[in-house]
Amino acid sequence: MTASFTEGHSDPTVQPVPASVVEQVDAADTTLHNPRRAVISLGSNLGNRLETLQGAIDALEDTPGVRVKAVSPVYETAPWGVEPGSQPSYFNAVVVLKTTLPPSSLLERAHAVEEAFHRVREERWGARTLDVDIVAYADVVDGDPQLTLPHPRAHERAFVLAPWLDVEPEAELPGRGPVAALLDTVTRDGVTARQDLELHLPE
């Protein structure tokens, strides 16, 4: 971070951070003090989907100890697990970041960002304003039910694998293998690149 949070800042999920703390975080990032690479999947099928995804990216960047390093193209995806036509389609994207946060703290931040965009968890596969899922964290493989790493269904989801491959052609999903090979094993039906839409790295 290069500046403290100020009144009227676009990120509604955090309290103001003292400049001294921001400087410490920047120093940790600059000196690569134990940064870890993480891959985050974003999805939205309610409201202004593109604006929501960009807002989530900006909110992640606004997190002390997080730096967004790459943002994928946008994909439009048919909803999973529901009757065709019963929900709007999703916009999906993947971001790659470096972080000094442990997985548990990154998960808390992901949930806070979802809540800021009024994510409601009423039913499985229900429509939602925003999904923020941790796909992978470094090379960690962990079966903890609170945060299974890598994401237990990432290897079978083209809407995760395709955008991830776009930004990291040599990427590997820990415990599963190369993303390119995994993508070859799943259907891309209902998953379409939206070349007319674009997300941006935070400024």
Side-chain angles (χ1 to χ4, degrees), residues 164-198:
W164 186 4
L165 188 67
D166 285 339
V167 291
E168 289 195 319
E170 305 301 321
E172 295 201 12
L173 185 65
R176 294 286 184 177
V179 169
L182 293 171
L183 185 57
D184 285 341
T185 68
V186 300
T187 179
R188 296 197 194 196
D189 290 348
V191 179
T192 305
R194 287 294 302 268
Q195 298 180 356
D196 57 319
L197 303 177
E198 186 176 6

mmCIF file of all heavy atoms in Angstrom, residues 164-198:
data_model
loop_
_atom_site.group_PDB
_atom_site.id
_atom_site.type_symbol
_atom_site.label_atom_id
_atom_site.label_comp_id
_atom_site.label_asym_id
_atom_site.label_seq_id
_atom_site.Cartn_x
_atom_site.Cartn_y
_atom_site.Cartn_z
ATOM 1 N N TRP A 164 -7.361 -18.802 -15.509
ATOM 2 C CA TRP A 164 -6.060 -18.966 -14.850
ATOM 3 C C TRP A 164 -4.986 -19.256 -15.889
ATOM 4 O O TRP A 164 -3.900 -18.662 -15.872
ATOM 5 C CB TRP A 164 -6.153 -20.088 -13.822
ATOM 6 C CG TRP A 164 -4.932 -20.275 -12.985
ATOM 7 C CD1 TRP A 164 -3.783 -19.509 -12.980
ATOM 8 C CD2 TRP A 164 -4.728 -21.298 -12.007
ATOM 9 N NE1 TRP A 164 -2.884 -19.999 -12.055
ATOM 10 C CE2 TRP A 164 -3.433 -21.085 -11.455
ATOM 11 C CE3 TRP A 164 -5.510 -22.356 -11.539
ATOM 12 C CZ2 TRP A 164 -2.910 -21.930 -10.461
ATOM 13 C CZ3 TRP A 164 -4.991 -23.179 -10.548
ATOM 14 C CH2 TRP A 164 -3.708 -22.966 -10.008
ATOM 15 N N LEU A 165 -5.287 -20.141 -16.833
ATOM 16 C CA LEU A 165 -4.318 -20.469 -17.873
ATOM 17 C C LEU A 165 -3.970 -19.245 -18.709
ATOM 18 O O LEU A 165 -2.833 -19.089 -19.157
ATOM 19 C CB LEU A 165 -4.872 -21.583 -18.759
ATOM 20 C CG LEU A 165 -3.904 -22.175 -19.784
ATOM 21 C CD1 LEU A 165 -2.781 -22.931 -19.083
ATOM 22 C CD2 LEU A 165 -4.655 -23.106 -20.733
ATOM 23 N N ASP A 166 -4.935 -18.358 -18.918
ATOM 24 C CA ASP A 166 -4.683 -17.151 -19.706
ATOM 25 C C ASP A 166 -3.581 -16.291 -19.099
ATOM 26 O O ASP A 166 -2.800 -15.668 -19.828
ATOM 27 C CB ASP A 166 -5.962 -16.316 -19.826
ATOM 28 C CG ASP A 166 -6.971 -16.906 -20.792
ATOM 29 O OD1 ASP A 166 -6.578 -17.710 -21.659
ATOM 30 O OD2 ASP A 166 -8.159 -16.566 -20.680
ATOM 31 N N VAL A 167 -3.530 -16.222 -17.772
ATOM 32 C CA VAL A 167 -2.542 -15.345 -17.124
ATOM 33 C C VAL A 167 -1.300 -16.099 -16.677
ATOM 34 O O VAL A 167 -0.256 -15.485 -16.445
ATOM 35 C CB VAL A 167 -3.156 -14.581 -15.926
ATOM 36 C CG1 VAL A 167 -4.152 -13.558 -16.411
ATOM 37 C CG2 VAL A 167 -3.789 -15.520 -14.908
ATOM 38 N N GLU A 168 -1.386 -17.422 -16.561
ATOM 39 C CA GLU A 168 -0.234 -18.237 -16.160
ATOM 40 C C GLU A 168 -0.202 -19.520 -16.983
ATOM 41 O O GLU A 168 -0.648 -20.570 -16.510
ATOM 42 C CB GLU A 168 -0.290 -18.568 -14.664
ATOM 43 C CG GLU A 168 -0.031 -17.393 -13.747
ATOM 44 C CD GLU A 168 0.257 -17.813 -12.324
ATOM 45 O OE1 GLU A 168 -0.417 -18.745 -11.825
ATOM 46 O OE2 GLU A 168 1.157 -17.233 -11.711
ATOM 47 N N PRO A 169 0.336 -19.467 -18.195
ATOM 48 C CA PRO A 169 0.316 -20.637 -19.075
ATOM 49 C C PRO A 169 1.028 -21.866 -18.502
ATOM 50 O O PRO A 169 0.704 -22.998 -18.892
ATOM 51 C CB PRO A 169 1.022 -20.132 -20.338
ATOM 52 C CG PRO A 169 0.808 -18.657 -20.323
ATOM 53 C CD PRO A 169 0.845 -18.271 -18.888
ATOM 54 N N GLU A 170 1.980 -21.663 -17.601
ATOM 55 C CA GLU A 170 2.715 -22.783 -17.012
ATOM 56 C C GLU A 170 2.198 -23.153 -15.620
ATOM 57 O O GLU A 170 2.843 -23.924 -14.906
ATOM 58 C CB GLU A 170 4.207 -22.440 -16.925
ATOM 59 C CG GLU A 170 4.832 -22.022 -18.245
ATOM 60 C CD GLU A 170 4.708 -23.108 -19.303
ATOM 61 O OE1 GLU A 170 4.856 -24.295 -18.959
ATOM 62 O OE2 GLU A 170 4.452 -22.759 -20.471
ATOM 63 N N ALA A 171 1.040 -22.636 -15.248
ATOM 64 C CA ALA A 171 0.530 -22.841 -13.892
ATOM 65 C C ALA A 171 0.263 -24.313 -13.600
ATOM 66 O O ALA A 171 -0.099 -25.092 -14.493
ATOM 67 C CB ALA A 171 -0.751 -22.040 -13.690
ATOM 68 N N GLU A 172 0.427 -24.664 -12.336
ATOM 69 C CA GLU A 172 0.090 -25.999 -11.862
ATOM 70 C C GLU A 172 -0.810 -25.883 -10.638
ATOM 71 O O GLU A 172 -0.602 -25.023 -9.782
ATOM 72 C CB GLU A 172 1.343 -26.798 -11.514
ATOM 73 C CG GLU A 172 2.225 -27.083 -12.715
ATOM 74 C CD GLU A 172 3.156 -28.267 -12.483
ATOM 75 O OE1 GLU A 172 2.952 -29.005 -11.486
ATOM 76 O OE2 GLU A 172 4.060 -28.455 -13.299
ATOM 77 N N LEU A 173 -1.803 -26.746 -10.578
ATOM 78 C CA LEU A 173 -2.676 -26.825 -9.411
ATOM 79 C C LEU A 173 -2.059 -27.836 -8.457
ATOM 80 O O LEU A 173 -1.902 -29.012 -8.818
ATOM 81 C CB LEU A 173 -4.081 -27.259 -9.828
ATOM 82 C CG LEU A 173 -5.154 -27.280 -8.744
ATOM 83 C CD1 LEU A 173 -5.425 -25.878 -8.214
ATOM 84 C CD2 LEU A 173 -6.446 -27.895 -9.276
ATOM 85 N N PRO A 174 -1.686 -27.412 -7.254
ATOM 86 C CA PRO A 174 -0.995 -28.330 -6.338
ATOM 87 C C PRO A 174 -1.749 -29.641 -6.150
ATOM 88 O O PRO A 174 -2.956 -29.651 -5.904
ATOM 89 C CB PRO A 174 -0.926 -27.529 -5.030
ATOM 90 C CG PRO A 174 -0.913 -26.100 -5.479
ATOM 91 C CD PRO A 174 -1.827 -26.064 -6.676
ATOM 92 N N GLY A 175 -1.030 -30.725 -6.305
ATOM 93 C CA GLY A 175 -1.614 -32.044 -6.127
ATOM 94 C C GLY A 175 -2.400 -32.557 -7.314
ATOM 95 O O GLY A 175 -2.838 -33.713 -7.319
ATOM 96 N N ARG A 176 -2.586 -31.711 -8.331
ATOM 97 C CA ARG A 176 -3.398 -32.095 -9.495
ATOM 98 C C ARG A 176 -2.632 -32.040 -10.809
ATOM 99 O O ARG A 176 -2.994 -32.749 -11.744
ATOM 100 C CB ARG A 176 -4.636 -31.194 -9.590
ATOM 101 C CG ARG A 176 -5.614 -31.353 -8.446
ATOM 102 C CD ARG A 176 -6.391 -32.634 -8.563
ATOM 103 N NE ARG A 176 -7.410 -32.753 -7.521
ATOM 104 C CZ ARG A 176 -8.277 -33.763 -7.415
ATOM 105 N NH1 ARG A 176 -8.255 -34.741 -8.306
ATOM 106 N NH2 ARG A 176 -9.144 -33.798 -6.445
ATOM 107 N N GLY A 177 -1.629 -31.161 -10.891
ATOM 108 C CA GLY A 177 -0.846 -31.094 -12.106
ATOM 109 C C GLY A 177 -1.068 -29.826 -12.897
ATOM 110 O O GLY A 177 -1.711 -28.873 -12.427
ATOM 111 N N PRO A 178 -0.535 -29.780 -14.130
ATOM 112 C CA PRO A 178 -0.613 -28.573 -14.947
ATOM 113 C C PRO A 178 -2.056 -28.158 -15.243
ATOM 114 O O PRO A 178 -2.899 -29.001 -15.573
ATOM 115 C CB PRO A 178 0.116 -28.965 -16.233
ATOM 116 C CG PRO A 178 1.016 -30.086 -15.842
ATOM 117 C CD PRO A 178 0.269 -30.836 -14.775
ATOM 118 N N VAL A 179 -2.302 -26.873 -15.152
ATOM 119 C CA VAL A 179 -3.638 -26.353 -15.426
ATOM 120 C C VAL A 179 -4.040 -26.638 -16.870
ATOM 121 O O VAL A 179 -5.193 -26.970 -17.163
ATOM 122 C CB VAL A 179 -3.703 -24.854 -15.100
ATOM 123 C CG1 VAL A 179 -4.990 -24.226 -15.615
ATOM 124 C CG2 VAL A 179 -3.566 -24.628 -13.594
ATOM 125 N N ALA A 180 -3.090 -26.526 -17.801
ATOM 126 C CA ALA A 180 -3.395 -26.783 -19.212
ATOM 127 C C ALA A 180 -3.906 -28.199 -19.414
ATOM 128 O O ALA A 180 -4.881 -28.431 -20.154
ATOM 129 C CB ALA A 180 -2.159 -26.530 -20.070
ATOM 130 N N ALA A 181 -3.271 -29.168 -18.757
ATOM 131 C CA ALA A 181 -3.701 -30.559 -18.891
ATOM 132 C C ALA A 181 -5.057 -30.781 -18.233
ATOM 133 O O ALA A 181 -5.908 -31.512 -18.763
ATOM 134 C CB ALA A 181 -2.651 -31.487 -18.274
ATOM 135 N N LEU A 182 -5.291 -30.146 -17.105
ATOM 136 C CA LEU A 182 -6.581 -30.280 -16.429
ATOM 137 C C LEU A 182 -7.699 -29.703 -17.288
ATOM 138 O O LEU A 182 -8.784 -30.283 -17.384
ATOM 139 C CB LEU A 182 -6.541 -29.571 -15.070
ATOM 140 C CG LEU A 182 -5.611 -30.180 -14.020
ATOM 141 C CD1 LEU A 182 -5.498 -29.250 -12.814
ATOM 142 C CD2 LEU A 182 -6.099 -31.559 -13.592
ATOM 143 N N LEU A 183 -7.423 -28.575 -17.917
ATOM 144 C CA LEU A 183 -8.440 -27.936 -18.744
ATOM 145 C C LEU A 183 -8.818 -28.824 -19.930
ATOM 146 O O LEU A 183 -9.967 -28.822 -20.370
ATOM 147 C CB LEU A 183 -7.942 -26.574 -19.231
ATOM 148 C CG LEU A 183 -8.924 -25.706 -20.004
ATOM 149 C CD1 LEU A 183 -10.195 -25.443 -19.197
ATOM 150 C CD2 LEU A 183 -8.274 -24.385 -20.402
ATOM 151 N N ASP A 184 -7.882 -29.605 -20.425
ATOM 152 C CA ASP A 184 -8.161 -30.506 -21.545
ATOM 153 C C ASP A 184 -9.110 -31.635 -21.160
ATOM 154 O O ASP A 184 -9.683 -32.291 -22.039
ATOM 155 C CB ASP A 184 -6.856 -31.106 -22.081
ATOM 156 C CG ASP A 184 -6.055 -30.112 -22.912
ATOM 157 O OD1 ASP A 184 -6.651 -29.112 -23.366
ATOM 158 O OD2 ASP A 184 -4.844 -30.334 -23.085
ATOM 159 N N THR A 185 -9.269 -31.871 -19.852
ATOM 160 C CA THR A 185 -10.101 -32.993 -19.405
ATOM 161 C C THR A 185 -11.524 -32.581 -19.051
ATOM 162 O O THR A 185 -12.346 -33.439 -18.723
ATOM 163 C CB THR A 185 -9.476 -33.670 -18.170
ATOM 164 O OG1 THR A 185 -9.549 -32.781 -17.045
ATOM 165 C CG2 THR A 185 -8.032 -34.051 -18.426
ATOM 166 N N VAL A 186 -11.826 -31.279 -19.090
ATOM 167 C CA VAL A 186 -13.160 -30.820 -18.697
ATOM 168 C C VAL A 186 -13.850 -30.151 -19.878
ATOM 169 O O VAL A 186 -13.207 -29.719 -20.835
ATOM 170 C CB VAL A 186 -13.092 -29.830 -17.510
ATOM 171 C CG1 VAL A 186 -12.448 -30.489 -16.297
ATOM 172 C CG2 VAL A 186 -12.330 -28.564 -17.881
ATOM 173 N N THR A 187 -15.161 -30.093 -19.812
ATOM 174 C CA THR A 187 -15.912 -29.429 -20.874
ATOM 175 C C THR A 187 -15.866 -27.917 -20.714
ATOM 176 O O THR A 187 -15.871 -27.400 -19.601
ATOM 177 C CB THR A 187 -17.372 -29.896 -20.877
ATOM 178 O OG1 THR A 187 -18.071 -29.191 -21.926
ATOM 179 C CG2 THR A 187 -18.059 -29.608 -19.552
ATOM 180 N N ARG A 188 -15.795 -27.245 -21.854
ATOM 181 C CA ARG A 188 -15.878 -25.781 -21.838
ATOM 182 C C ARG A 188 -17.262 -25.316 -22.257
ATOM 183 O O ARG A 188 -17.465 -24.107 -22.478
ATOM 184 C CB ARG A 188 -14.840 -25.185 -22.781
ATOM 185 C CG ARG A 188 -13.402 -25.467 -22.373
ATOM 186 C CD ARG A 188 -12.466 -24.525 -23.086
ATOM 187 N NE ARG A 188 -11.084 -24.941 -22.986
ATOM 188 C CZ ARG A 188 -10.057 -24.152 -23.254
ATOM 189 N NH1 ARG A 188 -10.266 -22.905 -23.671
ATOM 190 N NH2 ARG A 188 -8.811 -24.589 -23.152
ATOM 191 N N ASP A 189 -18.211 -26.228 -22.369
ATOM 192 C CA ASP A 189 -19.574 -25.842 -22.741
ATOM 193 C C ASP A 189 -20.119 -24.838 -21.734
ATOM 194 O O ASP A 189 -20.029 -25.039 -20.517
ATOM 195 C CB ASP A 189 -20.489 -27.074 -22.772
ATOM 196 C CG ASP A 189 -20.167 -28.003 -23.934
ATOM 197 O OD1 ASP A 189 -19.407 -27.584 -24.821
ATOM 198 O OD2 ASP A 189 -20.672 -29.150 -23.926
ATOM 199 N N GLY A 190 -20.677 -23.760 -22.235
ATOM 200 C CA GLY A 190 -21.257 -22.744 -21.364
ATOM 201 C C GLY A 190 -20.244 -21.810 -20.744
ATOM 202 O O GLY A 190 -20.602 -20.995 -19.884
ATOM 203 N N VAL A 191 -18.983 -21.895 -21.176
ATOM 204 C CA VAL A 191 -17.931 -21.023 -20.660
ATOM 205 C C VAL A 191 -17.340 -20.261 -21.847
ATOM 206 O O VAL A 191 -16.676 -20.855 -22.701
ATOM 207 C CB VAL A 191 -16.836 -21.816 -19.926
ATOM 208 C CG1 VAL A 191 -15.738 -20.892 -19.413
ATOM 209 C CG2 VAL A 191 -17.439 -22.605 -18.769
ATOM 210 N N THR A 192 -17.597 -18.954 -21.921
ATOM 211 C CA THR A 192 -17.261 -18.168 -23.096
ATOM 212 C C THR A 192 -16.418 -16.961 -22.721
ATOM 213 O O THR A 192 -16.777 -16.202 -21.813
ATOM 214 C CB THR A 192 -18.549 -17.663 -23.789
ATOM 215 O OG1 THR A 192 -19.387 -18.779 -24.086
ATOM 216 C CG2 THR A 192 -18.224 -16.905 -25.060
ATOM 217 N N ALA A 193 -15.304 -16.786 -23.412
ATOM 218 C CA ALA A 193 -14.473 -15.597 -23.198
ATOM 219 C C ALA A 193 -15.212 -14.363 -23.690
ATOM 220 O O ALA A 193 -15.753 -14.349 -24.800
ATOM 221 C CB ALA A 193 -13.149 -15.746 -23.934
ATOM 222 N N ARG A 194 -15.253 -13.320 -22.863
ATOM 223 C CA ARG A 194 -15.886 -12.062 -23.227
ATOM 224 C C ARG A 194 -14.799 -11.060 -23.599
ATOM 225 O O ARG A 194 -14.334 -10.288 -22.768
ATOM 226 C CB ARG A 194 -16.743 -11.552 -22.068
ATOM 227 C CG ARG A 194 -18.032 -12.325 -21.853
ATOM 228 C CD ARG A 194 -19.007 -12.149 -23.030
ATOM 229 N NE ARG A 194 -19.330 -10.752 -23.252
ATOM 230 C CZ ARG A 194 -20.374 -10.125 -22.690
ATOM 231 N NH1 ARG A 194 -21.213 -10.810 -21.910
ATOM 232 N NH2 ARG A 194 -20.601 -8.851 -22.932
ATOM 233 N N GLN A 195 -14.412 -11.084 -24.868
ATOM 234 C CA GLN A 195 -13.328 -10.217 -25.304
ATOM 235 C C GLN A 195 -13.723 -8.745 -25.352
ATOM 236 O O GLN A 195 -12.867 -7.875 -25.496
ATOM 237 C CB GLN A 195 -12.830 -10.690 -26.674
ATOM 238 C CG GLN A 195 -12.260 -12.097 -26.633
ATOM 239 C CD GLN A 195 -11.759 -12.579 -27.979
ATOM 240 O OE1 GLN A 195 -11.884 -11.896 -28.997
ATOM 241 N NE2 GLN A 195 -11.208 -13.782 -28.006
ATOM 242 N N ASP A 196 -15.015 -8.484 -25.219
ATOM 243 C CA ASP A 196 -15.491 -7.098 -25.211
ATOM 244 C C ASP A 196 -15.439 -6.484 -23.820
ATOM 245 O O ASP A 196 -15.727 -5.287 -23.668
ATOM 246 C CB ASP A 196 -16.926 -7.035 -25.746
ATOM 247 C CG ASP A 196 -17.881 -7.913 -24.948
ATOM 248 O OD1 ASP A 196 -17.495 -9.060 -24.579
ATOM 249 O OD2 ASP A 196 -19.013 -7.471 -24.685
ATOM 250 N N LEU A 197 -15.093 -7.263 -22.821
ATOM 251 C CA LEU A 197 -15.043 -6.790 -21.446
ATOM 252 C C LEU A 197 -13.621 -6.878 -20.916
ATOM 253 O O LEU A 197 -12.848 -7.747 -21.323
ATOM 254 C CB LEU A 197 -15.978 -7.614 -20.555
ATOM 255 C CG LEU A 197 -17.451 -7.661 -20.959
ATOM 256 C CD1 LEU A 197 -18.213 -8.580 -20.027
ATOM 257 C CD2 LEU A 197 -18.047 -6.263 -20.948
ATOM 258 N N GLU A 198 -13.304 -6.016 -19.966
ATOM 259 C CA GLU A 198 -11.937 -6.018 -19.439
ATOM 260 C C GLU A 198 -11.921 -5.578 -17.978
ATOM 261 O O GLU A 198 -12.625 -4.642 -17.591
ATOM 262 C CB GLU A 198 -11.058 -5.072 -20.265
ATOM 263 C CG GLU A 198 -9.590 -5.123 -19.892
ATOM 264 C CD GLU A 198 -8.737 -4.243 -20.786
ATOM 265 O OE1 GLU A 198 -9.294 -3.497 -21.628
ATOM 266 O OE2 GLU A 198 -7.494 -4.286 -20.642
#
